[in-house]
Amino acid sequence: MHEAFYRVPPLVIGGRTLRSRLFLGTGRFPSPAVMLQALEASGAEVVTFAVRRVNLDETADDSVLQHLEGRDLIYLPNTSGASSATEAVRIAKLARAAGLGDWVKVEISADPRTLLPDPIETLKATAMLAEAGFTVLPYTSDDPVLCRRLAEAGAAAVMPGGSPIGTGLGILNPYNLRLIAEEANVPVIVDAGLGSAADAAQAIELGASGILVNTPVAKALDPVAMARAMALAVEAGALSRAAGRIPKRLYATASSDPDGVLEPLSDRAAEPAAAGRRVTGG
Amino acid sequence: MSRAAFDFRLYAITAESCHPGRDLIEVMEAAIRGGADIVQLRDKETPPERLLGQARALRELTRRYGVPFIVNDYPELALEAEADGVHLGQEDMPIAEARRLLGEDKIIGISTHSIEQAREAVRAGADYIGVGPVYPTPTKPGRPAAGLEYVRQAAAEIAIPWVAIGGITLDNADEVLDAGARRLCAVSAIVGSPDPEAVSRELKARITAREAGHAADAAPPAEGPIRLRLNGRDTETTARTLGELIERHGLKDRRIVAEVDGEIVARSEWSRTLLKAGAAVELVHFRGGG
């Protein structure tokens, strides 16, 4: 692991040290086989699911778990489909009864067009589930104050969205995200809206501890390659952040010292354009 | 005794010091005749290598009656005596290590004293858990009682078989059952009684009466199909229990979770859960999602 070598602090959630900063969703892949290959390529340890009714008309097993049994993974079921805290708690308890651990991603959408999370119900559900002993990771708006309140309510990590789910618009409010990461005393996982590896690296450089992606991998032209790209991007982001970037400046600074710059040849010295200022940069 | 089919109602544990002058095997046989349907050899004083004779005798006895036999603390002894499994305490080896020693077929149970420990045990793959001590107990002096509140928490949440234990007697069994217990364990109340068979019979009767009570509340009024709502659709079924309904849909061996009228029903309770007309049944599982 390169991160350990360069002394990047490991990501710890709910007392568990994670192998990867990349969390992978399991929806919308072209096939279970592609999903498994992408999972392999991503190196993700935390995988997300939805809780849904069994399709009683289908005899074939469409459960995603049958493909994952026996792997060393942390299961993070979401509460998608819930529109209130009470419904989210019900879904979380159903998920826990499957016997695959007590992590849960609170996801309570308030609006069908944007699927943006309902902040009030999300906060309520987080408090209720933390009280009931769950390891709670709420998907939330990118609001620094709300994220703080979620951590106070017992969230094990907060998961602000970069932009609405599945849009691939990337991080629309880097200022807020930086603030959330700066103030948080729990890990920050950027969830939703990322489009490509560039967004993934940006999220980590801004101070996030990890990212959760599903659509940008599952719907990429080559999901397996994108899964790998995301893995490299989060690692690059973490190293880049730990390395400490240069401050941004308005004007150029030369990367070579001006001392020892060659004089122009004498027969061309009379050229009018070069007569005023000498440029020594580059 | 396969792990998957494993379940019980009344758990009897040996305690030779409770019946001086009487033979261990006779006392345990009386308990089984009265209705104990799982037996554990527990002896913290004697080194395990000197317990092999007793373990083998109990194995022979329980095999004759077809009840599972569990050894407390010592996986090696459990293997040597061909027991069905082992029971661990919080201070004993981790479940994973016991599983490695015992293989996939043996039952592993563990004592828990708080809902956090219970959750951890479920996560770690326990086949059943002990929930207690419900009351202060002479067999575990000095351990504070976890109380009926912990029984209620377990009833609300724990999906694998769990048994209330610790100071349970005929005098308090009803309030433990009221708190939601479906299985009871008694130590001194059974083996310390002059008539272990009678005490076991009465405890078992209380447990089954409570089950029948639950069943009567839920029983359909008449024969013939009943109507219920299954995964959001109106359905008619002649299945009498949730277990039958799930089996008819070919879902018995799938990793699904069942909910009836908003309450999660643990897999071990499916076959005992009678379907009521008008009930709302939800069968869910995990599908792809972000």
Side-chain angles (χ1 to χ4, degrees), chain A residues 2-223:
Chain A
H2 297 110
E3 288 188 16
F5 181 77
Y6 291 105
R7 301 214 172 85
V8 179
L11 171 54
V12 181
I13 295 179
R16 289 193 62 160
T17 303
L18 302 180
R19 292 194 300 268
S20 169
R21 302 174 181 279
L22 178 58
F23 296 12
L24 190 65
T26 54
R28 300 195 184 283
F29 279 88
S31 72
V34 174
M35 189 265 286
L36 282 180
Q37 285 180 49
L39 177 60
E40 204 74 37
S42 73
E45 181 177 16
V46 178
V47 281
T48 60
F49 307 95
V51 175
R52 290 288 181 271
R53 283 171 167 160
V54 175
N55 182 352
L56 299 171
D57 301 327
E58 250 337 301
T59 47
D61 189 353
D62 60 346
S63 156
V64 67
L65 282 182
Q66 57 177 323
H67 309 293
L68 297 173
E69 303 264 8
R71 283 163 190 263
D72 183 19
L73 297 171
I74 297 175
Y75 296 98
L76 180 60
N78 67 38
T79 65
S80 67
S83 55
S84 70
T86 328
E87 285 172 41
V89 170
R90 177 189 177 203
I91 294 170
K93 287 188 169 165
L94 285 167
R96 183 163 69 181
L100 294 168
D102 56 13
W103 286 41
V104 65
K105 166 179 163 178
V106 174
E107 180 176 347
I108 304 174
S109 289
D111 178 76
R113 202 158 57 98
T114 60
L115 296 176
L116 285 173
D118 182 323
I120 293 158
E121 295 298 312
T122 300
L123 181 58
K124 269 199 258 177
T126 299
M128 288 159 82
L129 289 167
E131 175 73 17
F134 285 85
T135 300
V136 193
L137 291 82
Y139 162 56
T140 167
S141 349
D142 56 353
D143 181 290
V145 179
L146 177 58
C147 286
R148 195 167 65 209
R149 295 289 299 271
L150 287 165
E152 286 164 5
V158 290
M159 304 210 293
S163 50
I165 297 172
T167 57
L169 290 172
I171 295 165
L172 293 181
N173 194 339
Y175 177 85
N176 266 20
L177 188 60
R178 183 192 300 274
L179 216 53
I180 291 168
E182 220 173 78
E183 292 180 350
N185 50 17
V186 295
V188 175
I189 309 295
V190 175
D191 176 9
L194 303 186
S196 73
D199 299 335
Q202 187 196 9
I204 309 292
E205 285 197 83
L206 285 168
S209 298
I211 62 163
L212 194 170
V213 285
N214 186 344
T215 312
V217 172
K219 301 304 256 182
L221 217 50
D222 182 343

Side-chain angles (χ1 to χ4, degrees), chain B:
Chain B
M1 187 60 51
S2 91
R3 272 175 74 202
F6 166 71
D7 204 355
F8 59 90
R9 291 283 157 277
L10 179 61
Y11 199 140
I13 298 183
T14 65
E16 261 193 307
S17 58
C18 292
H19 52 83
R22 278 187 300 159
D23 177 60
L24 177 80
I25 301 302
E26 262 173 45
V27 169
M28 297 321 286
E29 180 162 9
I32 295 172
R33 275 204 307 268
D37 49 10
I38 179 169
V39 169
Q40 181 188 127
L41 170 61
R42 182 164 80 189
D43 186 339
K44 304 253 184 212
E45 307 305 320
T46 312
E49 58 275 13
R50 284 177 41 208
L51 288 171
L52 186 59
Q54 284 188 349
R56 286 202 167 127
L58 284 168
R59 170 72 291 181
E60 201 273 319
L61 170 75
T62 50
R63 193 170 274 150
R64 207 144 38 83
Y65 283 90
V67 304
F69 172 50
I70 304 290
V71 169
N72 189 272
D73 283 355
Y74 310 119
E76 294 85 358
L77 178 61
L79 284 171
E80 182 96 35
E82 295 176 29
D84 295 300
V86 72
H87 185 92
L88 303 171
Q90 286 292 324
E91 293 81 27
D92 295 328
M93 70 172 65
I95 289 173
E97 194 184 336
R99 175 61 66 211
R100 198 174 48 73
L101 283 169
L102 292 170
E104 287 304 310
D105 299 330
K106 299 288 186 196
I107 295 159
I108 298 179
I110 183 168
S111 301
T112 65
H113 315 303
S114 68
I115 194 69
E116 290 76 22
Q117 288 180 355
R119 288 173 190 146
E120 184 50 40
V122 172
R123 256 199 300 274
D127 295 305
Y128 77 90
I129 58 178
V131 164
V134 185
Y135 304 100
T137 155
T139 49
K140 294 270 177 158
R143 187 187 291 289
L148 288 169
E149 181 51 33
Y150 177 30
V151 175
R152 278 187 279 271
Q153 288 174 324
E157 190 179 314
I158 299 305
I160 65 171
W162 59 271
V163 55
I165 179 171
I168 295 173
T169 64
L170 284 172
D171 292 332
N172 58 30
D174 283 319
E175 66 180 19
V176 182
L177 293 166
D178 283 342
R182 294 281 184 104
R183 302 173 195 78
L184 299 180
C185 176
V187 188
S188 48
I190 295 178
V191 301
S193 151
D195 191 347
E197 182 172 341
V199 175
S200 291
R201 181 161 295 125
E202 180 57 27
L203 281 170
K204 188 69 170 285
R206 305 269 182 94
I207 299 168
T208 45
R210 196 60 59 105
E211 266 176 27
H214 291 306
D217 291 344
E223 292 301 310
I226 53 166
R227 294 187 67 78
L228 45 80
R229 214 164 158 74
L230 176 59
N231 279 8
R233 277 194 288 182
D234 288 322
T235 313
E236 275 202 346
T237 181
T238 54
R240 278 288 164 267
T241 66
L242 180 63
E244 275 174 47
L245 182 73
I246 288 169
E247 190 153 7
R248 286 182 196 185
H249 282 93
L251 298 170
K252 193 166 67 80
D253 300 319
R254 297 246 298 260
R255 196 187 277 274
I256 65 167
V257 177
E259 184 199 73
V260 177
D261 291 328
E263 296 288 335
I264 294 169
V265 181
R267 188 175 284 262
S268 58
E269 305 294 328
W270 285 356
S271 60
R272 281 195 294 276
T273 304
L274 293 180
L275 294 171
K276 252 188 299 192
V281 179
E282 296 285 353
L283 306 177
V284 303
H285 65 168
F286 286 160
R287 284 233 301 272

